[in-house]
Structures are given as C-alpha cells and as structure tokens.
Amino acid sequence: MRVSVVLLAAGLGKRMGGKTPKAFVKLGGRPLYRLSLDVFKSMKEVRQIVLVVPKGMKGYAPSEAGVTGRGEGGARRQDSVRNGLGAVDPASDVVLIHDAARPFVTPELIRRVIQGAMEHGGAIPGVPVRDTLKRMDSAGHIEGTMDRKSLWAAQTPQGFRNGVLEAAYASGHGLEDATDDAQIVERAGGRVAIVEGNPENFKITSKSDLDLAEDYQRRRRSRTSRGTPGFPPVRRRP
C-alpha cells in the first residue's frame, strides 16, 4: 500500500488576525502544520507528503524532514489542492487531502479513511450532527427545522484512489466553488463513503479555536504524564 498525502498549509487565516499564515501559527511552541505532518510521517503506509504553502512561500523550510513534494497555494482551497495533486506520485494507491488546520488527526482515523477509499473509491471521516439545525430565510426568520438523522459533519483527511480526484478536476468539476474535496468528486458522479470521524479532529479557524486547542493539548499532556489513557472529547465553544 502506497499512500500520498497533500497537506494543505496555504490558508492565510484572516479570521485568526495577525500576519502569520494560519498553518504557521505556533501551537505548543510548534508551527501548526507540523502536528499533523508528524502523524503522517509516523505511518508506514505514507510514502509521500506534499506540503502546499501560501503563494511566495514554496521554498519555505526546504529541508523539512518527511516532505517529499511541494505545491503553492491558489486563490481557493480547491486550487491549492489541484496544485498539490500535480506533485503526487503516479504510483500511489491512495491520495489523502488533509487540512493542516486539523492538528489532532490520529493514525487510527487516517487508516479508516485509507480503507474506505480502497473499498469505495473515495472516503471521508465524519461525525453525526448533534445540534438542532434551522433553515433561515433572508429576513432572519426560521423557515423550518432540518432532520439531522442523515446529516454528518465532514472532516479531513479525505481520501481517494489515485486518479479519482484528478479526473474530477480534469472534467471541469473543480471550477465551481467547493467546500471540500468530496463535493468535487460527487459532482463528477463519483460515490464517496463516510467513515467514523473523531470529535477531537476539529478545525482551527479563529483565535478562540486556537485557545481551545492549547487547552486541549495541556489536558492531554496532563493525562499522559499521569499514565491515564485517552481523554474526553473536546466541546466546541458556542
């Protein structure tokens, strides 16, 4: 099994404030992207990691251990993904796309996605939606309540057999805005499975999320130092 990873670290992180691109903000004294990078590096299945960085930073950290390919960020997330796909090894069996803004991904979750991609052609991790979801009109009034039984919150990494995502881009389905990779494959008529995600695999998009991640790290280290396995799920702030 040969797996390539496109690690997206190209977001500017405008909602974070400051001038540092989001994936390069420090978490626990380390750039955010390195947390998930180290997880992928630890896995024998992963043979290639393509790091996609903001435009103008392609030469950043040229000696970064474990990075065997590079890409430059585009105007949109999907443009950054396509740039990263251009550096993927054609011999890979599965390609994973992961947001560096999700630093707490685990090998167990990654392997579920790999297995799902091999079985179905494409797979993403997800968690059931637990909140009540309302549909709102343009005036800010509730139009209705959605049935959440079949709704899942998507996470990354999102995985595909090598060539599946590239073919969807090549057929023009990446031209319209898309919020994730699965959406582009769906438009092309592909089927994508959902595998069990992890509540701890949350995405950092704002300063409050970064504060939450720092608190999460402290609690995890505290439990590890006491020899207590595991830790309770992180709850997102309202």
Side-chain angles (χ1 to χ4, degrees):
M1 172 69 68
R2 297 175 62 90
V3 175
S4 289
V5 177
V6 176
L7 182 59
L8 299 177
L12 297 180
K14 294 179 180 179
R15 283 176 286 181
M16 295 283 291
K19 298 181 180 180
T20 304
K22 180 168 60 176
F24 296 85
V25 169
K26 296 293 182 66
L27 175 60
R30 303 168 64 207
L32 190 62
Y33 76 90
R34 281 197 183 152
L35 278 77
S36 51
L37 174 64
D38 285 348
V39 175
F40 288 114
K41 283 166 53 177
S42 72
M43 300 179 63
K44 64 180 181 180
E45 301 95 324
V46 174
R47 306 294 182 86
Q48 179 190 33
I49 300 174
V50 177
L51 182 65
V52 182
V53 298
K55 189 173 183 179
M57 294 181 66
K58 194 173 181 180
Y60 179 84
S63 62
E64 180 74 68
V67 175
T68 55
R70 295 187 180 277
E72 189 170 74
R76 303 170 297 176
R77 180 188 184 278
Q78 64 217 69
D79 301 322
S80 298
V81 171
R82 187 163 198 176
N83 291 345
L85 289 174
V88 165
D89 183 351
S92 292
D93 300 299
V94 170
V95 178
L96 301 178
I97 315 296
H98 185 64
D99 293 322
R102 294 184 186 270
F104 301 122
V105 67
T106 65
E108 294 77 19
L109 184 150
I110 294 167
R111 290 189 175 105
R112 288 197 293 271
V113 174
I114 293 171
Q115 184 64 34
M118 288 299 294
E119 290 181 6
H120 303 281
I124 70 171
V127 293
V129 172
R130 294 182 173 86
D131 296 325
T132 297
L133 299 178
K134 301 291 186 180
R135 188 171 59 253
M136 185 179 71
D137 63 19
S138 59
H141 300 144
I142 294 174
E143 284 187 331
T145 301
M146 300 181 68
D147 183 357
R148 65 187 179 192
K149 291 180 181 177
S150 61
L151 297 178
W152 291 68
Q155 300 180 333
T156 68
Q158 302 196 351
F160 308 90
R161 286 188 201 139
N162 198 0
V164 169
L165 185 55
E166 294 90 329
Y169 272 100
S171 59
H173 293 284
L175 297 176
E176 294 182 43
D177 288 348
T179 55
D180 73 350
D181 312 293
Q183 189 175 4
I184 295 173
V185 174
E186 292 162 28
R187 288 174 182 165
R191 296 181 65 85
V192 183
I194 294 180
V195 300
E196 182 185 357
N198 189 331
E200 285 81 25
N201 185 33
F202 64 92
K203 187 175 183 180
I204 297 175
T205 59
S206 66
K207 180 61 169 63
S208 61
D209 292 330
L210 187 62
D211 293 340
L212 185 65
E214 289 172 345
D215 178 64
Y216 174 80
Q217 272 198 328
R218 284 192 294 269
R219 290 190 291 113
R220 182 168 65 173
R221 287 170 180 162
S222 175
R223 288 174 175 271
T224 301
S225 66
R226 297 199 304 266
T228 306
F231 33 84
V234 170
R235 301 296 182 188
R236 298 298 299 270
R237 292 175 179 171

